[in-house]
Amino acid sequence: MALILGERLASLRELEEYYSYEDALNLAEVIQVKGHNEYVTAKAAQKA
C-alpha cells in the first residue's frame, strides 16, 4: 500500500473504502511498469 500512497495514485481512505484488493494490485502494476519504462528509456539514452 505504501507504494500506491507514495505515488499518490490513491489516498488511504480511498484504498480502505473504495478500491478493491484487485484494484490496488492493478495500481501497483501500473507503478512498476512505469518505473521499468523509465529505466529502459534512461538506458537507451545512455547508449545514444
Side-chain angles (χ1 to χ4, degrees):
M1 296 305 153
L3 180 68
I4 298 166
L5 296 172
E7 289 290 321
R8 298 178 184 243
L9 292 180
S11 68
L12 183 57
R13 184 174 188 167
E14 289 172 329
L15 288 172
E16 290 175 340
E17 296 178 4
Y18 181 72
Y19 292 116
S20 68
Y21 180 69
E22 185 177 351
D23 292 334
L25 291 177
N26 287 336
L27 288 170
E29 183 179 6
V30 167
I31 294 166
Q32 291 176 335
V33 169
K34 179 183 168 191
H36 175 73
N37 289 342
E38 289 172 354
Y39 170 78
V40 169
T41 302
K43 198 78 161 161
Q46 284 180 343
K47 288 183 180 180

